Amino acid sequence: MLPLETKYVAKSELFKVPFGGWAMKRGGDLAVRFDKNKNQGWGTVKGSTGQLLLQAAEHLQNGNSIAIFPEGTRMGFDATRAAEAAAHESKLMPFKPPFFDLAKKLNISVVCVAMRGTDDVWPVGSNMQRPASVLIDIAEPISPTQFNSDVEFADAMRIKLGKMYQDLCSAS
């Protein structure tokens, strides 16, 4: 368990899943609203990102944590993005910078958490979860003050998290 209240950022479709999604909505988690007609279905609904960031800022200012998945989706979903990830030293897809910009503006440290085995629990394309082992590595908090921009911050966290994930994979 995390030592303070944490709000998760997830695609809005997950909030419609019986029980789990309903609990996310009731718990105040934050929904990313995608537009099926933009960017091969990965563009966001106009104005929704700004609203999402305002909600996140309010939670952060109230002392809550925000858990994000900065790649935006799982790698197995998009062959082009997976190929781009494979060519990068982190082996992760590019991180989206808006939350890193928010962390810089609010001077909030970021804690990278790498997880291995989650695809075994909930495979890409499946609606069912199943029992499996998950390994987790939690890094020390990283201050945004050491980065000149949100893009630099996001790229540094991508490399850090990629190394953590690769270490988890080689440990098993």
Side-chain angles (χ1 to χ4, degrees):
M1 296 295 289
L2 298 172
L4 44 109
E5 189 167 342
T6 301
K7 303 300 179 185
Y8 289 82
V9 177
K11 63 183 178 178
S12 58
E13 289 80 17
L14 290 178
F15 288 74
K16 298 173 187 171
V17 174
F19 306 109
W22 302 338
M24 290 171 63
K25 186 173 184 175
R26 187 168 174 86
D29 292 330
L30 307 172
V32 178
R33 295 175 41 218
F34 290 106
D35 183 340
K36 295 178 188 175
N37 299 316
K38 287 174 59 180
N39 195 18
Q40 299 173 337
W42 290 106
T44 55
V45 172
K46 185 175 182 165
S48 66
T49 302
Q51 182 182 14
L52 174 67
L53 290 169
L54 286 173
Q55 291 172 334
E58 183 178 333
H59 284 297
L60 290 167
Q61 291 166 332
N62 287 332
N64 297 329
S65 290
I66 302 288
I68 64 167
F69 302 86
E71 288 181 286
T73 188
R74 295 195 278 175
M75 201 174 326
F77 191 79
D78 184 301
T80 303
R81 295 174 86 191
E84 180 182 351
H88 191 269
E89 68 180 288
S90 71
K91 305 300 180 211
L92 300 175
M93 293 186 295
F95 284 11
K96 303 192 182 324
F99 277 95
F100 295 97
D101 181 54
L102 182 61
K104 282 189 68 56
K105 286 177 180 170
L106 298 177
N107 194 28
I108 303 239
S109 294
V110 170
V111 177
C112 289
V113 178
M115 297 180 280
R116 188 189 80 53
T118 57
D119 280 343
D120 296 332
V121 174
W122 195 350
V124 172
S126 173
N127 290 330
M128 300 296 294
Q129 296 180 9
R130 58 185 183 209
S133 295
V134 176
L135 295 175
I136 299 173
D137 184 13
I138 303 171
E140 293 294 321
I142 300 165
S143 171
T145 59
Q146 57 189 299
F147 304 101
N148 294 319
S149 72
D150 57 340
V151 173
E152 182 184 341
F153 193 10
D155 288 343
M157 296 304 93
R158 180 183 182 194
I159 292 167
K160 168 104 177 136
L161 196 55
K163 171 93 172 79
M164 292 169 63
Y165 180 73
Q166 290 167 22
D167 288 349
L168 284 176
C169 289
S170 64
S172 58

